[in-house]
Amino acid sequence: MSQTNLSKARIKSLTLLSLGFIFWGMMVYLMGTMALANGPNITDDFCFAWVGKEYGVFGGAYQYYIGWSGRYFGNIMLHLNPLIFSPDFGYFKWGTWLLMVLGLANALYLFKNIYQQSWHSSKVLWSALVFQAIGWYTIPGFYEWYFWFSGLFYPLSFQLVILFFNLYYFEKAKVIRFFLLPLVLFFLIGSSEITMIFFSTVFGCLQLYRLIKIKKIEPELWLLGIVWVIALALVILAPGNAIRATKHIALIDGLLEAAKSAGKQLILFSKEPLFWLMNLWIILFGTGQKKASVISWTSFLGLMGIFALGYYLSFLPISLALDESGIPNRTLSLLFMYLLMASGYSSFILHKKIAWTLPEKFKFPVQVLIMLLILPNMHYSKSARLMAAEISSGTAFQFAKEQKARFDAIQQTNDAQVEIPAIQTKSAFLFNEEISTDSSHLWCKCIAKYYGKKQVRLKNN
């Protein structure tokens, strides 16, 4: 390649990287700044903090395992609440920042492996930044994923899935394949029921197909299979599941309800323009190297069927067992990200199978055009707009100041029965629920237990 062509290629790469960095960097600024105002949520955070203080992190996780949920790894994450170690609310900002860094590192590792280039190449950097940012701008449960400590295990669960496939398909070292990979699998299965179902369906079907094709089970798969079965048993047979599963519905009715929910959410997800723009990019450009696909159209349709089955089965816990008024946004976010991953991989296969290629002279203009269509979604993201408004107005920081003052007052008073005033500045982003005037309400009881008080309640106006 001539020096002139090399310079042109570098300019094109830097142009796309700059546009991607703007798209990603805007959300980083908003999230990082908003995290400074973050603190414990009235919902659940003080309950896990009290139980963690009372029984310890692992003891608290065990109490939750026998009394509510079989997600053993998720339970440990819940009881690593910063309030267990310190009443200082300042530590809550670290949860958001750590998830941002972890997600970027995982994305860089993923695209480094896909492109087979160094992590700091412009193509790897651009892909990692844009992929992470698309998740931030689109997921419906943004607050619950990144600012509610009791919901952080959902994004951690998603990151474990990415890490597992990264290690499984790209790493060859024996210590990784026979030690780290089974460990990641064990954590992954115990992180979330949705992750357990989707992953087990997709990976299980892929391994079954591979087993039929090669007609033998390799030692590595024996190890993964044993860990897999043990992990599934720990989740499914957990005593807490029977307590939590309060919904009783006929099997056929539950299956139909799951189908309706899956279809409804698929329609809602399909209305997200970033979903289509990401897949359009992959279909048109792939990794930049057009290699012949070894997957037949029949296999491709089978793969699509596996993804669809995993997506559908993920709705079964709520339709059959959990008495939820609706599917929580944090759960929908997890389903959307798996849909994003599955569609992205499917689009990549299509890119390799379709013989037609965009003429070279049109590639860069089309890439810039797609990026210019992606960028306006910064404005249309509800989460981004809310954070921008609350940071610029000072609402979030005033809310955090009032919230902290209330709990400092509880901690500093010697009174056994405490009444606290209502929050005057209500953040539309950080404020989810006020405590009750009834001291027997669960949130009031947890706050009282955490601070060693007999009663805590909201002051009557």
Side-chain angles (χ1 to χ4, degrees):
M1 183 181 290
S2 68
Q3 191 66 35
T4 302
N5 289 336
L6 192 63
S7 298
K8 286 182 179 179
R10 187 174 291 116
I11 290 172
K12 291 177 181 179
S13 296
L14 289 176
T15 300
L16 292 175
L17 182 58
S18 298
L19 292 173
F21 184 80
I22 291 170
F23 183 60
W24 175 85
M26 180 60 71
M27 193 61 104
V28 167
Y29 166 74
L30 294 173
M31 292 172 69
T33 305
M34 184 63 75
L36 296 173
N38 197 27
N41 196 301
I42 297 297
T43 305
D44 285 340
D45 280 351
F46 282 96
C47 294
F48 290 119
W50 159 59
V51 174
K53 281 182 67 178
E54 185 76 14
Y55 297 97
V57 173
F58 292 101
Y62 176 72
Q63 292 297 320
Y64 203 64
Y65 178 79
I66 63 174
W68 190 250
S69 171
R71 50 190 179 216
Y72 49 86
F73 183 67
N75 293 343
I76 293 173
M77 293 296 102
L78 288 170
H79 291 88
L80 282 172
N81 190 299
L83 289 174
I84 295 173
F85 310 102
S86 170
D88 185 351
F89 289 6
Y91 292 104
F92 278 82
K93 63 177 177 288
W94 291 103
T96 304
W97 291 349
L98 285 173
L99 279 175
M100 291 164 65
V101 172
L102 176 62
L104 180 60
N106 222 359
L108 286 169
Y109 182 40
L110 173 66
F111 290 104
K112 169 185 175 293
N113 288 326
I114 290 174
Y115 292 123
Q116 293 294 295
Q117 295 182 6
S118 63
W119 69 267
H120 50 77
S121 74
S122 59
K123 187 182 292 186
V124 171
L125 285 171
W126 177 88
S127 299
L129 294 176
V130 173
F131 175 71
Q132 185 179 41
I134 284 176
W136 289 340
Y137 283 106
T138 54
I139 57 173
F142 181 81
Y143 166 80
E144 296 175 23
W145 265 41
Y146 290 100
F147 290 87
W148 181 40
F149 195 89
S150 295
L152 295 190
F153 69 89
Y154 283 93
L156 283 173
S157 176
F158 173 67
Q159 295 301 331
L160 283 170
V161 172
I162 295 179
L163 179 59
F164 179 88
F165 282 113
N166 250 324
L167 297 175
Y168 184 80
Y169 286 107
F170 296 106
E171 295 296 338
K172 304 301 181 185
K174 286 189 175 181
V175 68
I176 290 177
R177 305 201 70 82
F178 287 91
F179 175 72
L180 186 56
L181 197 58
L183 193 63
V184 172
L185 176 62
F186 184 73
F187 291 155
L188 183 159
I189 296 297
S191 63
S192 158
E193 294 90 346
I194 301 300
T195 291
M196 176 189 76
I197 293 171
F198 185 85
F199 172 85
S200 296
T201 302
V202 173
F203 190 66
C205 288
L206 291 176
Q207 292 307 311
L208 181 61
Y209 173 76
R210 187 165 180 261
L211 180 61
I212 294 171
K213 200 169 183 180
I214 67 175
K215 295 181 173 58
K216 69 174 183 177
I217 303 177
E218 297 166 335
E220 175 188 280
L221 189 56
W222 277 112
L223 176 59
L224 290 176
I226 291 169
V227 171
W228 199 350
V229 170
I230 292 172
L232 286 171
L234 283 172
V235 174
I236 295 170
L237 301 178
N241 288 338
I243 298 172
R244 189 180 179 201
T246 56
K247 186 175 183 179
H248 303 286
I249 187 172
L251 178 60
I252 299 300
D253 291 339
L255 294 175
L256 289 174
E257 182 180 318
K260 289 178 182 177
S261 297
K264 178 183 177 181
Q265 295 307 320
L266 186 61
I267 291 172
L268 289 177
F269 292 156
S270 68
K271 292 180 180 179
E272 174 51 61
L274 286 176
F275 176 86
W276 297 106
L277 288 170
M278 186 198 81
N279 282 286
L280 175 62
W281 183 287
I282 297 172
I283 290 173
L284 289 177
F285 306 109
T287 60
Q289 296 177 340
K290 194 85 167 179
K291 295 181 180 179
S293 174
V294 295
I295 299 179
S296 66
W297 283 109
T298 302
S299 297
F300 174 72
L301 292 175
L303 183 64
M304 295 290 287
I306 291 171
F307 289 148
L309 179 63
Y311 174 77
Y312 165 69
L313 292 179
S314 299
F315 286 86
L316 288 182
I318 292 178
S319 67
L320 290 174
L322 303 183
D323 194 11
E324 301 274 2
S325 56
I327 303 174
N329 282 333
R330 55 190 177 275
T331 302
L332 292 178
S333 297
L334 201 51
L335 289 165
F336 180 76
M337 291 307 293
Y338 290 141
L339 186 65
L340 203 65
M341 283 181 60
S343 66
Y345 183 67
S346 301
S347 294
F348 178 64
I349 294 175
L350 282 176
H351 166 76
K352 292 197 293 183
K353 290 194 70 63
I354 297 173
W356 178 82
T357 301
L358 193 69
E360 190 65 35
K361 64 180 179 179
F362 294 127
K363 285 184 178 179
F364 180 64
V366 171
Q367 288 172 338
V368 172
L369 175 61
I370 294 175
M371 277 306 303
L372 292 177
L373 291 172
I374 285 176
L375 287 171
N377 284 273
M378 294 188 293
H379 173 73
Y380 293 111
S381 166
K382 181 181 178 182
S383 299
R385 289 203 314 273
L386 268 178
M387 287 190 291
E390 298 217 345
I391 290 170
S392 62
S393 67
T395 301
F397 292 96
Q398 181 58 33
F399 164 79
K401 183 179 178 181
E402 291 183 31
Q403 183 82 305
K404 187 176 186 306
R406 296 200 305 175
F407 288 103
D408 284 347
I410 297 174
Q411 184 181 1
Q412 292 163 9
T413 184
N414 293 322
D415 297 342
Q417 297 180 335
V418 184
E419 291 184 340
I420 61 175
I423 289 285
Q424 299 302 309
T425 305
K426 291 181 172 62
S427 163
F429 187 81
L430 297 173
F431 178 84
N432 294 95
E433 185 177 347
E434 182 61 278
I435 70 168
S436 175
T437 54
D438 179 5
S439 61
S440 65
H441 189 280
L442 179 59
W443 310 144
C444 294
K445 289 166 67 176
C446 288
I447 294 168
K449 289 283 188 181
Y450 177 77
Y451 286 107
K453 304 299 180 183
K454 186 176 180 181
Q455 287 185 357
V456 172
R457 69 182 185 87
L458 188 69
K459 186 183 294 183
N460 286 310
N461 293 329

